Amino acid sequence: MKSRSQNHLFQKALIGLGFCLAALFILMPQVALAQTDILNYELEFGKLDGYFHKPQGVAVDQQGYTYVTDYEDHRIQVFDPAGNFVRKWGWFGSDTGDLLQPMGIAVNDQLNRVYVAEMGGERIQVFDKNGAYLFAFGSSGPGAGQFSDVHDLAIGKKTIYVADTWNHRIQVFGHDGNYLGEWGSQGNGPGQFETPKAIAVYRDVVYVADTGNNRVQAFAPDGSYLWEFGSAGTGKGELSAPAGIDVNQNGIYVTESGNHRMQRFDLAGVYQNVISAQGNAPGLFNTPMGIALNPASQQTQFLVADADNHRVQRMDELGNVLQILGSFQAPAGHLTQPMGIAYSGKEGVLAVADYGNSRVQLFDVEGNFLNGWALGAPPIDVAIDSADDHLWIITDNGTVHRYTLYGAFLTAWTPPFGQNPGQIGSPKGLTVDGNQIVYIANQWFNGAYNTNGRIHVADAAGNHLATWGATGLSTGSPPPPDTFELPADLHADKWSKSLYVAVEGQARTKLIRPDSSMGIDSVVEHYAGMSRRPYALAVGPEDFLFVADSVGRLSLFEPFNTLVHQQDRTTGGGPGEFRHIGDMEFAEENGEHPSVLIFSGRENHRIQVFTIDGF
């Protein structure tokens, strides 16, 4: 990471320019401020190579290389025949080469191509085996060559067969993406479909997993109906939501996402045996999806995308496990839906609420894993108090945990559940001031956003001190300053004098001064004319306030309500791009790193670090 000290001359120039721009912004509130980007992308961490978030599709080429669609990480990962990670490509986005929820995957060895069915993008993207983008075809819709939740594809001698799931049909294309025809319609009769999700070709027969009808249908290459097998149920030969299919001379292999198993049928569709059952031990499945037979093996070998165990299992025809790619339990340093973050300047430690893995992990700002431990429920937010560097955690069931910074448990308490003062319902975040007063952002959700947003205030032992916003819904325009509709993020200063709140539902940030009895002494609020709601905030030196919305528009205020900088960020999964921010934290310069702004990305499953011009 680059070394950079605070540039005070730049700060003064930036502030002076900011006063002029802020005045212009007040006069023309619909025009966003345009300034040079002050964030410099440095690095990201939390998404380890060789691990998955809900893998969906799997393919194996003639050399034994395995290609996996990493669905929630929006990428393709490739492994050599020994199971070693080789390469990856793609991230969240809609541009060429970007990926949105990749599902099925197929390899054409003769053309050196990899075809990816991209459900979120409603297209097929084509790459070479090294991940270089070649071309794409398809778009969203019901017309010829269009898709609705495209799930899978299979490569024939001269054609590509695509399972167009919510259009309830099979579409046929040439290898270069030219539309050739289609067959099928919605229904349960011969040749009709209900959300077909998987497809395979073997010896001029096209096999379709007719998922919603709990059966497999076989067709000639021109779409002529041949025969079918399967019916709804849990018994031998019965199917529940078949989601993957592949075929060789030994039979038809079908994964069932509903029964969490795989079955083998002979080439006439007669039941042969069940392979595996539900679980997370090796050889068991939790929502198995795509399956691929290994053409490089002399014996029958298949690989199954074990989606909810976040792994791919290589097995023989009896179900014996030969190899596992990924892991049902994410390893240390790997993040799933990271939400709240907090930084200790004393120790140089970043704490991360690893929501999807129900644990807390500690890193330095360069991404090196330091420590971590499991919790009994998913953590929503974390805070580090300035008094003794204790780590405070709130989980989604409302329990507040207190640990030393390196994981020694100290205490835990849970406020009573309810809508009255002193009770909480849906916690969103917490912060702790220098006197170890705990502030909890509390949201309510009852079918629609009928909120009774409030701030719950307690001492270190959990004793209720005050409830702010107890008047309930924020009504009127502008809403009363002591109401909080969807409070999203909190930051208490170390002097125990101020609390900053990002109030998402009111498109405002608020600066609250508590009185001696922990009531509200005063409120200063700022409405930035934001078209997007404030979602995360961080406080820098001299009360500089950074505010971001959920997709990354950044505003900088000095000292609280003077807007000096505003910029849009790119939505996506590439370096420096954002998709649903979980939290934001400022880490001041020390001997190890310059001043940085740190973001957690809930849906990109990572932490990003930026240096800041002028700090």
Side-chain angles (χ1 to χ4, degrees), residues 24-199:
L24 178 62
F25 185 78
I26 292 170
L27 292 173
M28 297 185 297
Q30 301 302 315
V31 179
L33 292 176
Q35 287 188 239
T36 304
D37 192 339
I38 63 170
L39 294 187
N40 304 299
Y41 172 80
E42 293 290 336
L43 58 93
E44 68 175 63
F45 57 90
K47 191 159 62 175
L48 301 180
D49 296 336
Y51 295 90
F52 311 109
H53 290 136
K54 294 186 183 296
Q56 298 289 314
V58 60
V60 186
D61 68 16
Q62 295 290 341
Q63 290 73 46
Y65 282 75
T66 300
Y67 301 75
V68 182
T69 57
D70 194 359
Y71 176 81
E72 288 200 353
D73 277 338
H74 311 282
R75 63 181 178 177
I76 307 300
Q77 295 200 67
V78 184
F79 301 82
D80 67 18
N84 301 305
F85 171 82
V86 175
R87 71 181 68 91
K88 62 184 176 184
W89 70 81
W91 49 57
F92 175 88
S94 56
D95 292 338
T96 56
D98 293 347
L99 293 169
L100 284 173
Q101 298 172 322
M103 293 289 293
I105 188 168
V107 178
N108 187 320
D109 286 284
Q110 286 68 40
L111 296 177
N112 191 40
R113 292 176 180 174
V114 180
Y115 294 79
V116 180
E118 188 185 353
M119 187 177 78
E122 302 293 15
R123 61 184 174 178
I124 306 294
Q125 289 203 78
V126 186
F127 306 85
D128 69 19
K129 287 186 177 181
N130 290 318
Y133 172 82
L134 300 176
F135 63 93
F137 58 94
S139 60
S140 178
Q146 296 183 313
F147 304 118
S148 179
D149 272 12
V150 58
H151 267 67
D152 199 15
L153 73 166
I155 297 176
K157 293 178 181 178
K158 297 182 180 180
T159 53
I160 300 170
Y161 301 92
V162 179
D164 186 7
T165 301
W166 279 100
N167 283 325
H168 311 284
R169 65 185 177 183
I170 302 302
Q171 293 199 72
V172 186
F173 300 84
H175 286 169
D176 289 332
N178 52 309
Y179 172 81
L180 299 176
E182 63 183 74
W183 74 79
S185 61
Q186 187 172 14
N188 57 18
Q192 295 183 312
F193 302 107
E194 186 66 40
T195 61
K197 291 187 177 179
I199 192 166

Side-chain angles (χ1 to χ4, degrees), residues 392 394 400 413-416 420-425 429-433 435-442 453-470 482 484 487 490 492 496 498-499 501 512-521:
W392 302 74
I394 189 164
V400 176
W413 43 268
T414 306
N420 296 320
Q423 301 174 333
I424 69 169
L430 91 162
T431 187
V432 183
D433 69 17
N435 291 329
Q436 295 184 339
I437 303 298
V438 180
Y439 305 86
I440 300 173
N442 184 36
R454 60 181 68 170
I455 308 299
H456 181 90
V457 186
D459 66 17
N463 299 304
H464 174 243
L465 300 177
T467 297
W468 299 345
D482 63 347
F484 306 91
L490 307 167
S496 311
S498 302
L499 179 73
V501 186
I512 302 170
R513 308 284 188 184
D515 62 24
S516 58
S517 62
M518 298 315 301
I520 295 178
D521 180 56

Side-chain angles (χ1 to χ4, degrees), residues 510-553:
K510 299 191 179 188
L511 175 60
I512 302 170
R513 308 284 188 184
D515 62 24
S516 58
S517 62
M518 298 315 301
I520 295 178
D521 180 56
S522 64
V523 178
V524 179
E525 58 180 12
H526 180 63
Y527 172 65
M530 298 178 185
S531 59
R532 302 166 187 162
R533 297 176 171 186
Y535 194 82
L537 54 81
V539 179
E542 300 178 7
D543 291 331
F544 275 83
L545 181 69
F546 299 90
V547 180
D549 64 42
S550 63
V551 295
R553 186 184 191 189

Side-chain angles (χ1 to χ4, degrees), residues 41 62 69 107 119 131 186 214 216 220 280 315 331 337 339 341 390 421 437 449 486 495 539 575 611 613:
Y41 172 80
Q62 295 290 341
T69 57
V107 178
M119 187 177 78
Q186 187 172 14
N214 298 298
V216 172
N280 56 31
M315 309 171 82
Q337 290 185 292
M339 294 186 65
I341 56 177
H390 284 172
I437 303 298
Y449 275 104
L486 297 176
W495 298 282
V539 179
T611 53
D613 289 336

